[in-house]
Amino acid sequence: MNRGPIAEINLSALQHNLKIIKQIAKNRTVIAVVKADAYGHGAVEVSKKLVAEGVSYLAVAFTGEAKMIRDAGIDAKIIVLFDRTNISDYFKYDLIPVIHDKDIALEFSKEASTQGRPVTVHLKIDTGMGRMGFSPERAVADAIEISGMPGIKIEGLMSHFSEADLADKSYAVRQLEIFSRTQKSISEKLGYSLISHMANSAGVLSFGEALLDAVRPGLMLYGYSPFSEQYGLEPVMKVKTNILMLRDLPAEYPVSYGRTFITKRESRIAVIPTGYADGYNRLFSNNAFVLIRGKRAPVAGRVCMDITLADVTDIDGVSEGDEVVFLGRQGEDIITATELAARINTIPYDIITSLGSRARKEYLH
Ligand SMILES: *Cc1c(COP(=O)(O)O)cnc(C)c1O
């Protein structure tokens, strides 16, 4: 399909970011989070590269994502963070479920006897995120009970921070304390230690005590930090297309739906074949720049479904077919997901998943 933008995925940048994670995490095991199609970068290609660079654990949200990775011939361990359905797929594709309660553990135990082989699991403790997981009060008793269920091998213990990206770490510290206490009791009672992991990107970057046995970064892999400091990370995704046509409009002429942009002078407007259907948010209307010939051109008027207009009056020598960059570097300048996120009051995660998931992808090796 010849519509919409191209997301260029730079796998060397991914490799570089993994190196930075390993340095900061002092060579602990990296559980690479590739959920949501690797945050829009393409889970299969990203996973292949990460495994080639020595990553032994991947994490996805749902079993369907894990199946795609397995079908591509990747044999790393895969942790499935959220799925409670398709239990037989865990056996078929050799996946590691995160267990959030006793009932689901029982279902896995039953399926294990049906299948005639055990399943390795990680248990999740809800230390204050309030999403999924065992309550800390019950976790020790429940873990002991689950460890006795036939066909269940508990390998890991995890939790998730709700606000490790804040400068004020007091809540994250509390969550870590609860986790550490629970983890210690469980290990004592079981008589063996479990792989414990809690740190997302924010935890890796700002909370050394939370590194534990393994780290679980997503965002950092793709070249962004949840803080203003970027720690030498390199954005992996560039989203680009080409100018479809140029319009020379007189002064006082309205541009796009609702006449929210009126030319102040004779203006040259670039018509760009990417819109909100491609994940370029409509809130970028009159509120962002694109790069053309290495310069910033302001988005003029409302972003449409398939088209965005940009004012290129101040850029010399613009031609139809010129490259337009929505996200990433062109020449000396760069538009980051952090910049775009700040413009529309969201987070870089939202920008890269929206743009990346809909674009055709090209991989630079
Ligand atoms: C998404 C996710 C991560 C990764 O978070 P980042 O902020 O992208 O590093 C880690 N753990 C869990 C449980 C997640 O859902």
mmCIF file of all heavy atoms in Angstrom, residues 33 35 39 81-82 124 131 158 160 200-201 216-219 349, ligand 1:
data_model
loop_
_atom_site.group_PDB
_atom_site.id
_atom_site.type_symbol
_atom_site.label_atom_id
_atom_site.label_comp_id
_atom_site.label_asym_id
_atom_site.label_seq_id
_atom_site.Cartn_x
_atom_site.Cartn_y
_atom_site.Cartn_z
ATOM 1 N N VAL A 33 11.644 -5.200 26.915
ATOM 2 C CA VAL A 33 10.193 -5.093 26.733
ATOM 3 C C VAL A 33 9.888 -4.717 25.281
ATOM 4 O O VAL A 33 10.274 -3.650 24.816
ATOM 5 C CB VAL A 33 9.589 -4.076 27.727
ATOM 6 C CG1 VAL A 33 8.084 -3.970 27.526
ATOM 7 C CG2 VAL A 33 9.900 -4.491 29.170
ATOM 8 N N LYS A 35 6.652 -5.188 23.973
ATOM 9 C CA LYS A 35 5.191 -5.152 23.822
ATOM 10 C C LYS A 35 4.798 -4.059 22.814
ATOM 11 O O LYS A 35 5.619 -3.206 22.475
ATOM 12 C CB LYS A 35 4.538 -4.913 25.178
ATOM 13 C CG LYS A 35 4.818 -3.531 25.759
ATOM 14 C CD LYS A 35 4.338 -3.414 27.206
ATOM 15 C CE LYS A 35 4.597 -2.010 27.726
ATOM 16 N NZ LYS A 35 4.539 -1.933 29.194
ATOM 17 N N TYR A 39 7.010 -1.077 20.859
ATOM 18 C CA TYR A 39 6.681 0.357 20.946
ATOM 19 C C TYR A 39 6.587 0.968 19.542
ATOM 20 O O TYR A 39 7.013 2.096 19.291
ATOM 21 C CB TYR A 39 7.718 1.116 21.783
ATOM 22 C CG TYR A 39 7.731 0.786 23.277
ATOM 23 C CD1 TYR A 39 7.582 -0.520 23.731
ATOM 24 C CD2 TYR A 39 7.916 1.776 24.231
ATOM 25 C CE1 TYR A 39 7.606 -0.819 25.082
ATOM 26 C CE2 TYR A 39 7.935 1.493 25.593
ATOM 27 C CZ TYR A 39 7.783 0.189 26.002
ATOM 28 O OH TYR A 39 7.801 -0.098 27.349
ATOM 29 N N LEU A 81 3.329 -10.518 29.986
ATOM 30 C CA LEU A 81 3.058 -9.706 31.173
ATOM 31 C C LEU A 81 1.609 -9.743 31.641
ATOM 32 O O LEU A 81 1.345 -9.747 32.838
ATOM 33 C CB LEU A 81 3.453 -8.245 30.905
ATOM 34 C CG LEU A 81 4.949 -7.985 30.667
ATOM 35 C CD1 LEU A 81 5.166 -6.573 30.123
ATOM 36 C CD2 LEU A 81 5.746 -8.190 31.948
ATOM 37 N N PHE A 82 0.653 -9.744 30.699
ATOM 38 C CA PHE A 82 -0.719 -9.475 31.113
ATOM 39 C C PHE A 82 -1.748 -10.540 30.746
ATOM 40 O O PHE A 82 -2.838 -10.519 31.273
ATOM 41 C CB PHE A 82 -1.200 -8.144 30.506
ATOM 42 C CG PHE A 82 -0.291 -6.976 30.808
ATOM 43 C CD1 PHE A 82 0.299 -6.246 29.792
ATOM 44 C CD2 PHE A 82 -0.018 -6.628 32.124
ATOM 45 C CE1 PHE A 82 1.129 -5.169 30.076
ATOM 46 C CE2 PHE A 82 0.817 -5.558 32.419
ATOM 47 C CZ PHE A 82 1.392 -4.824 31.386
ATOM 48 N N LYS A 124 3.708 -11.855 40.136
ATOM 49 C CA LYS A 124 3.749 -10.394 40.244
ATOM 50 C C LYS A 124 3.102 -9.935 41.540
ATOM 51 O O LYS A 124 1.984 -10.329 41.872
ATOM 52 C CB LYS A 124 3.016 -9.769 39.069
ATOM 53 C CG LYS A 124 3.079 -8.241 39.081
ATOM 54 C CD LYS A 124 2.759 -7.724 37.710
ATOM 55 C CE LYS A 124 2.909 -6.227 37.601
ATOM 56 N NZ LYS A 124 2.584 -5.816 36.223
ATOM 57 N N ARG A 131 -2.668 -2.221 39.567
ATOM 58 C CA ARG A 131 -3.119 -2.703 38.259
ATOM 59 C C ARG A 131 -3.361 -4.207 38.346
ATOM 60 O O ARG A 131 -4.490 -4.653 38.380
ATOM 61 C CB ARG A 131 -2.094 -2.331 37.179
ATOM 62 C CG ARG A 131 -2.578 -2.585 35.776
ATOM 63 C CD ARG A 131 -1.688 -1.951 34.714
ATOM 64 N NE ARG A 131 -0.328 -2.466 34.689
ATOM 65 C CZ ARG A 131 0.614 -2.020 33.849
ATOM 66 N NH1 ARG A 131 0.341 -1.052 32.987
ATOM 67 N NH2 ARG A 131 1.824 -2.533 33.866
ATOM 68 N N MET A 158 8.235 -10.409 40.489
ATOM 69 C CA MET A 158 8.346 -9.060 39.935
ATOM 70 C C MET A 158 7.324 -8.110 40.519
ATOM 71 O O MET A 158 6.355 -8.521 41.156
ATOM 72 C CB MET A 158 8.162 -9.108 38.413
ATOM 73 C CG MET A 158 6.778 -9.561 37.997
ATOM 74 S SD MET A 158 6.558 -9.640 36.204
ATOM 75 C CE MET A 158 6.356 -7.903 35.810
ATOM 76 N N HIS A 160 5.950 -3.659 39.685
ATOM 77 C CA HIS A 160 6.039 -2.566 38.704
ATOM 78 C C HIS A 160 5.858 -1.231 39.417
ATOM 79 O O HIS A 160 4.973 -1.085 40.250
ATOM 80 C CB HIS A 160 4.948 -2.777 37.643
ATOM 81 C CG HIS A 160 5.116 -1.935 36.415
ATOM 82 N ND1 HIS A 160 6.325 -1.747 35.787
ATOM 83 C CD2 HIS A 160 4.211 -1.219 35.686
ATOM 84 C CE1 HIS A 160 6.156 -0.962 34.718
ATOM 85 N NE2 HIS A 160 4.886 -0.631 34.645
ATOM 86 N N ASN A 200 11.693 -0.534 35.512
ATOM 87 C CA ASN A 200 11.436 -0.069 34.149
ATOM 88 C C ASN A 200 12.523 0.962 33.797
ATOM 89 O O ASN A 200 13.470 1.141 34.569
ATOM 90 C CB ASN A 200 10.026 0.532 34.069
ATOM 91 C CG ASN A 200 9.795 1.618 35.124
ATOM 92 O OD1 ASN A 200 10.695 1.939 35.910
ATOM 93 N ND2 ASN A 200 8.595 2.159 35.167
ATOM 94 N N SER A 201 12.372 1.668 32.684
ATOM 95 C CA SER A 201 13.420 2.623 32.282
ATOM 96 C C SER A 201 13.690 3.655 33.374
ATOM 97 O O SER A 201 14.849 3.948 33.680
ATOM 98 C CB SER A 201 13.021 3.340 30.988
ATOM 99 O OG SER A 201 12.953 2.418 29.927
ATOM 100 N N ARG A 216 13.977 -4.314 33.462
ATOM 101 C CA ARG A 216 12.896 -4.542 32.496
ATOM 102 C C ARG A 216 12.600 -3.259 31.709
ATOM 103 O O ARG A 216 11.497 -2.739 31.738
ATOM 104 C CB ARG A 216 11.662 -4.951 33.293
ATOM 105 C CG ARG A 216 10.921 -6.139 32.740
ATOM 106 C CD ARG A 216 9.845 -6.603 33.694
ATOM 107 N NE ARG A 216 9.053 -5.562 34.280
ATOM 108 C CZ ARG A 216 8.833 -5.408 35.599
ATOM 109 N NH1 ARG A 216 9.317 -6.253 36.471
ATOM 110 N NH2 ARG A 216 8.116 -4.402 36.044
ATOM 111 N N PRO A 217 13.595 -2.759 30.966
ATOM 112 C CA PRO A 217 13.394 -1.495 30.260
ATOM 113 C C PRO A 217 12.659 -1.672 28.941
ATOM 114 O O PRO A 217 12.828 -2.670 28.243
ATOM 115 C CB PRO A 217 14.825 -1.024 29.992
ATOM 116 C CG PRO A 217 15.593 -2.289 29.836
ATOM 117 C CD PRO A 217 14.954 -3.293 30.758
ATOM 118 N N GLY A 218 11.843 -0.677 28.610
ATOM 119 C CA GLY A 218 11.243 -0.607 27.286
ATOM 120 C C GLY A 218 11.735 0.669 26.625
ATOM 121 O O GLY A 218 12.617 0.655 25.767
ATOM 122 N N LEU A 219 11.194 1.790 27.072
ATOM 123 C CA LEU A 219 11.444 3.091 26.437
ATOM 124 C C LEU A 219 12.915 3.359 26.115
ATOM 125 O O LEU A 219 13.244 3.843 25.032
ATOM 126 C CB LEU A 219 10.905 4.207 27.353
ATOM 127 C CG LEU A 219 10.892 5.601 26.720
ATOM 128 C CD1 LEU A 219 9.872 5.680 25.592
ATOM 129 C CD2 LEU A 219 10.599 6.676 27.755
ATOM 130 N N TYR A 349 6.126 7.726 24.797
ATOM 131 C CA TYR A 349 5.609 6.387 24.493
ATOM 132 C C TYR A 349 4.451 6.470 23.493
ATOM 133 O O TYR A 349 4.327 5.661 22.568
ATOM 134 C CB TYR A 349 5.043 5.722 25.745
ATOM 135 C CG TYR A 349 5.964 5.565 26.924
ATOM 136 C CD1 TYR A 349 6.313 6.651 27.718
ATOM 137 C CD2 TYR A 349 6.443 4.312 27.285
ATOM 138 C CE1 TYR A 349 7.120 6.494 28.827
ATOM 139 C CE2 TYR A 349 7.261 4.148 28.399
ATOM 140 C CZ TYR A 349 7.589 5.252 29.169
ATOM 141 O OH TYR A 349 8.385 5.107 30.260
HETATM 142 C C1 LIG B 1 5.841 -1.484 29.761
HETATM 143 C C2 LIG B 1 6.406 -2.125 30.957
HETATM 144 C C3 LIG B 1 7.770 -2.008 31.253
HETATM 145 C C4 LIG B 1 8.711 -1.085 30.494
HETATM 146 O O1 LIG B 1 8.502 0.260 30.897
HETATM 147 P P1 LIG B 1 9.375 1.454 30.295
HETATM 148 O O2 LIG B 1 8.924 2.624 31.053
HETATM 149 O O3 LIG B 1 9.038 1.533 28.844
HETATM 150 O O4 LIG B 1 10.804 1.115 30.508
HETATM 151 C C5 LIG B 1 8.270 -2.761 32.308
HETATM 152 N N1 LIG B 1 7.461 -3.568 33.038
HETATM 153 C C6 LIG B 1 6.140 -3.671 32.795
HETATM 154 C C7 LIG B 1 5.308 -4.566 33.640
HETATM 155 C C8 LIG B 1 5.552 -2.950 31.760
HETATM 156 O O5 LIG B 1 4.248 -3.048 31.542
#
